[in-house]
């Protein structure tokens, strides 16, 4: 994309400084003659010229040297339109500039022509690569000639797949004249438009937006930004008002949408997002609406034939819906398996703890993850100091442990009780003041969102539980929040394992401690690994 931007900037600057280009003060805002000239030159020069150059790029060494990279995307996206070599960028720039140059040479140029022509050109390019049918097949049936005047995403997709047909810029008329129209172009477009060729995902990870600024960390907003782990970038801060307005709009009128996808062993995996932000989950009047959004997404996945849907972060909050139990109880006939993925999250945290550790300090001890971690560790004869003010909840968890291991679970109510413990399992946010109680050399294992501030320089801090996807994953073009590309949150990975194993049970509510090792071994067997 940078090649084209730089090239067009330089050529535009040269054109403006040329004596053939009138001064900006003399340029008219509107001139219909210029639009007529530009349209004529587009049809007579740009379309046949681009098709000839495009077909030439598919021959012999020109393809391998200058055009093969453009065809390296198995699934086209709008930004694929600008992904190419400088030679391809030059061809596109000349095709776009020829009508403008002609209009200005005859003295009919205008400001509206420059902006309007460039916008229309870029829009049609992005539309063709979008993989979304914008023009209904009914329009082509009602006006048969229209199919030769404007191409479709399906038309271009066939070119990217077959590489021996459909070479036009925007008008299939020139492929018709050259005998290079793919015979299935219109039949396939009709099938796609009617939804007959829609591919159903096998697995869906149902996420939500974290905050206003990070809402821009999506492929369809800033591809370069989303291809790297999320971090606050100063360049995005001026766009905060726009992102805020979009947040308000989403609350008023929006539904779950697809953010990203990848393929794993022939199966399509997608990430859907509930159009709600983290802070909204803690506003009581919004809870019912959020649960309704989650429920609608689950029912949609069930109708589509999705096999497994994994709930992310606050979408499985115990206070919100009992870790997904609400939906499974309300719809007992669901075919899609609903999972919270926390069994693998617990497994990742537990397998990070060195085997030599005999005592740990646990905050968030009575939470879903805290309970499972405590019960697992006590069975390993590891002493667990459980920070909680509720003796009732502590005793409830302690009674779940076998009698011979209950002695390893100890209730504490103050942070100073852990002043000699160097392994802290953090399930509740720690302030810098609370971190001071940890001795030097402590390692903080975290399962709290957001992660704690790394205040102590004499201690080490773990990252949120995550797993690296198998090496044969395909189509990963973006990062999952702060994770590097190819690494996903453990609850996401837990859903992937559930899908790969073909398990038929729902994983909702309390974590089954007996399945922690089962899920961990299954993850490793399928090629997932700790990052």
């Amino acid at each position: 994309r940078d090649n084209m931007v730089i090239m067009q900037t330089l050529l535009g600057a040269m054109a403006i400084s040329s004596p053939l280009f009138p001064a900006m003060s003399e340029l008219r805002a509107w001139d219909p003659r210029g639009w007529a000239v530009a349209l004529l030159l587009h049809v007579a020069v740009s379309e046949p010229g681009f098709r000839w150059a495009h077909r030439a790029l598919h021959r012999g060494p020109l393809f391998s040297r200058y055009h093969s990279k453009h065809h390296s995307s198995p699934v086209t996206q709008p930004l694929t339109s600008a992904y190419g070599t400088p030679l391809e960028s030059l061809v596109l720039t000349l095709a776009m500039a020829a009508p403008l140059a002609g209009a200005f040479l005859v003295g009919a140029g205008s400001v509206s022509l420059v902006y309007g022509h460039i916008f229309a050109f870029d829009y049609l390019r992005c539309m063709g690569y979008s993989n979304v049918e914008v023009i209904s097949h009914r329009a082509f049936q009602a006006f048969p000639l229209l199919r030769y005047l404007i191409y479709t995403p399906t038309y271009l997709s066939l070119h990217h797949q077959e590489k021996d047909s459909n070479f036009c810029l925007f008008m299939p008329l020139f492929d018709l004249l050259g005998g290079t129209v793919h015979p299935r172009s219109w039949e396939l477009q009709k099938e796609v438009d009617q939804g007959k060729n829609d591919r159903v995902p096998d697995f869906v990870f149902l996420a939500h937006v974290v905050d206003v600024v990070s809402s821009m960390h999506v492929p369809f907003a800033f591809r370069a930004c989303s291809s790297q782990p999320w971090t606050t970038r100063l360049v995005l801060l001026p766009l905060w008002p726009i992102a805020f307005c979009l947040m308000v709009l989403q609350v008023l009128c929006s539904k779950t949408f697809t953010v990203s996808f990848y393929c794993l062993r022939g199966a399509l995996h997608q990430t859907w997002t509930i159009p709600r932000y983290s802070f909204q989950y803690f506003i009581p009047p919004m809870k019912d609406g959020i649960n309704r959004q989650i429920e609608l997404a689950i029912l949609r996945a069930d109708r589509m034939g999705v096999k497994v849907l994994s709930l992310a972060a606050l979408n499985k909050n115990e206070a919100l819906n009992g870790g997904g139990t609400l939906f499974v109880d309300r719809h007992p006939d669901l075919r899609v398996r609903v999972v919270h993925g926390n069994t693998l999250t617990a497994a990742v945290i537990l397998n990070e703890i060195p085997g030599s550790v005999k005592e740990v300090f646990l905050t968030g001890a009575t939470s879903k993850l805290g309970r499972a971690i405590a019960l697992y560790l006590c069975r390993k004869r590891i002493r667990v100091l459980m920070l909680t003010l509720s003796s009732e909840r502590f005793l409830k968890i302690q009674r779940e442990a076998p009698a011979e291991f209950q002695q390893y679970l100890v209730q504490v109510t103050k942070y100073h009780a852990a002043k000699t413990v160097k392994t802290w399992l953090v399930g509740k946010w720690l302030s810098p003041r609370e971190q001071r109680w940890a001795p030097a050399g402590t390692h903080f294992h975290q399962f709290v969102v957001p992660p704690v501030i790394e205040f102590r320089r004499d201690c080490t801090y773990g990252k949120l539980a995550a797993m690296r996807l198998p090496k044969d994953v395909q189509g990963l073009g973006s990062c999952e929040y702060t994770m590097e590309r190819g690494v996903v949150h453990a609850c996401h990975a837990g859903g992937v394992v559930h899908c790969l194993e073909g398990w038929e049970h729902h994983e909702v509510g309390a974590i089954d401690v007996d399945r922690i090792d089962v899920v961990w071994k299954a993850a490793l067997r399928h090629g997932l690994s700790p990052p």
Side-chain angles (χ1 to χ4, degrees):
R1 180 68 179 176
D2 293 346
N3 290 335
M4 183 175 289
V5 172
I6 294 171
M7 178 180 295
Q8 291 183 356
T9 301
L10 293 175
L11 292 177
M14 291 169 60
I16 292 174
S17 61
S18 168
L20 299 176
F21 194 92
M24 292 299 294
S25 59
E26 301 173 6
L27 200 59
R28 289 181 291 272
W30 168 261
D31 191 333
R33 297 174 303 157
W35 285 90
V37 171
L39 179 61
L40 178 64
L41 289 176
H42 177 83
V43 175
V45 178
S46 296
E47 286 286 349
F50 177 86
R51 183 188 172 278
W52 175 83
H54 191 184
R55 195 167 187 191
L57 286 171
H58 276 261
R59 291 174 178 163
L62 285 177
F63 181 80
S64 59
R65 292 178 182 176
Y66 300 108
H67 197 47
S68 59
K69 284 289 185 183
H70 179 73
H71 278 269
S72 64
S73 299
V75 179
T76 59
Q77 299 181 38
L79 289 175
T80 309
S81 63
Y83 178 58
T85 60
L87 178 61
E88 293 169 297
S89 299
L90 179 61
V91 170
L92 269 176
T93 301
L94 292 176
M96 180 187 68
L100 290 176
F104 277 97
L105 284 173
V106 300
S110 64
V111 174
S112 62
L113 176 62
V114 173
Y115 286 103
H117 176 74
I118 293 175
F119 175 82
F121 192 96
D122 279 353
Y123 172 80
L124 290 173
R125 286 282 294 172
C126 291
M127 182 198 76
Y129 284 88
S130 68
N131 264 316
V132 177
E133 288 301 333
V134 177
I135 304 174
S136 171
H137 71 281
R138 295 186 183 88
F140 293 110
Q141 288 178 338
F143 307 99
L145 289 178
L146 184 62
R147 65 183 58 179
Y148 299 112
L149 300 180
I150 184 72
Y151 73 163
T152 67
T154 302
Y155 189 91
L156 188 62
S157 180
L158 281 169
H159 167 74
H160 265 254
Q161 292 172 13
E162 307 291 342
K163 300 183 181 68
D164 60 356
S165 59
N166 298 4
F167 295 98
C168 76
L169 181 56
F170 304 133
M171 299 176 65
L173 171 66
F174 292 92
D175 278 321
L176 177 67
L177 296 175
T180 53
V181 174
H182 194 286
R184 290 205 67 222
S185 295
W186 313 116
E187 176 189 350
L188 187 60
Q189 193 267 346
K190 180 179 179 180
E191 292 177 4
V192 171
D193 190 43
Q194 292 177 329
K196 294 180 179 179
N197 272 29
D198 285 352
R199 185 177 178 185
V200 176
D202 294 86
F203 168 74
V204 167
F205 183 57
L206 189 62
H208 61 80
V209 190
V210 177
D211 54 46
V212 175
V213 179
S214 66
S215 67
M216 293 179 275
H217 188 249
V218 286
F220 53 79
F222 295 99
R223 184 81 174 269
C225 176
S226 67
S227 67
Q228 301 174 12
W230 166 252
T231 182
T232 302
R233 292 175 170 82
L234 294 178
V235 70
L236 296 180
L237 294 182
L239 299 175
W240 189 92
I242 298 175
F244 180 83
C245 291
L246 288 174
M247 178 191 72
V248 175
L249 184 64
Q250 287 184 68
V251 173
L252 297 176
C253 55
S254 63
K255 59 183 180 180
T256 301
F257 56 92
T258 303
V259 171
S260 61
F261 64 90
Y262 59 87
C263 293
L264 180 62
R265 296 170 192 170
L268 176 63
H269 293 199
Q270 291 182 344
T271 295
W272 297 356
T273 292
I274 298 290
R276 296 295 180 267
Y277 293 63
S278 293
F279 75 91
Q280 295 170 345
Y281 284 72
F282 302 99
I283 302 176
M286 297 193 71
K287 288 186 177 181
D288 288 341
I290 291 172
N291 271 332
R292 182 59 180 161
Q293 289 272 358
I294 298 171
E295 184 176 19
L296 289 174
I298 291 173
L299 294 176
R300 174 189 168 197
D302 192 58
R303 288 193 303 270
M304 291 172 62
V306 175
K307 296 177 181 176
V308 175
L309 183 142
S310 181
L311 300 172
L314 296 173
N315 284 337
K316 59 193 173 196
N317 185 277
E318 285 292 318
L320 184 69
N321 52 48
T325 305
L326 173 68
F327 311 115
V328 173
D329 291 345
R330 188 176 290 175
H331 303 283
D333 297 325
L334 284 174
R335 292 171 299 169
V336 62
R337 302 296 102 178
V338 180
V339 305
H340 52 50
N342 280 343
T343 307
L344 185 58
T345 302
V348 171
I349 296 167
L350 290 163
N351 280 277
E352 288 177 351
I353 300 173
S356 59
V357 170
K358 299 300 180 184
E359 186 177 46
V360 301
F361 177 60
L362 177 64
T363 70
T366 59
S367 66
K368 178 165 55 182
L369 273 169
R371 165 194 163 275
I373 290 170
L375 290 174
Y376 184 94
L377 290 176
C378 77
R379 296 181 185 185
K380 301 292 182 181
R381 301 183 186 278
I382 296 175
R383 189 166 181 258
V384 183
L385 303 183
M386 299 175 64
L387 180 69
T388 177
L389 297 176
S390 174
S391 297
E392 180 183 353
R393 283 188 286 179
F394 168 76
L395 290 173
K396 183 179 178 182
I397 294 173
Q398 188 182 48
R399 292 189 191 107
E400 288 188 65
E404 65 270 27
F405 301 124
Q406 291 182 5
Q407 60 180 312
Y408 293 98
L409 299 180
V410 180
Q411 180 186 7
V412 296
T413 58
K414 303 290 183 180
Y415 283 93
H416 70 75
K419 61 184 179 182
T420 61
V421 181
K422 292 189 175 183
T423 300
W424 283 38
L425 307 180
V426 183
K428 182 181 178 182
W429 204 80
L430 293 178
S431 67
R433 180 179 180 181
E434 291 162 343
Q435 291 181 41
R436 287 196 181 102
W437 288 106
T442 294
H443 182 77
F444 296 94
H445 300 266
Q446 302 190 60
F447 59 99
V448 59
V449 179
V452 301
I453 298 172
E454 298 184 8
F455 172 74
R456 294 282 300 274
R457 294 190 176 184
D458 57 347
C459 298
T460 54
Y461 295 79
K463 304 297 182 183
L464 291 177
M467 293 289 279
R468 187 178 298 280
L469 292 171
K471 294 180 179 179
D472 54 341
V473 66
Q474 296 178 318
L476 276 173
S478 58
C479 296
E480 188 169 287
Y481 198 40
T482 58
M483 307 291 174
E484 62 180 276
R485 202 181 311 187
V487 176
V488 297
H489 292 90
C491 57
H492 181 152
V496 172
V497 173
H498 205 100
C499 186
L500 291 172
E501 282 289 314
W503 287 328
E504 290 297 320
H505 66 279
H506 295 290
E507 183 193 334
V508 294
I511 296 172
D512 184 349
V513 180
D514 294 329
R515 289 194 57 82
I516 291 177
D517 287 334
V518 173
V519 173
W520 176 252
K521 291 175 182 176
L524 299 181
R525 186 169 61 251
H526 284 289
L528 287 89
S529 58

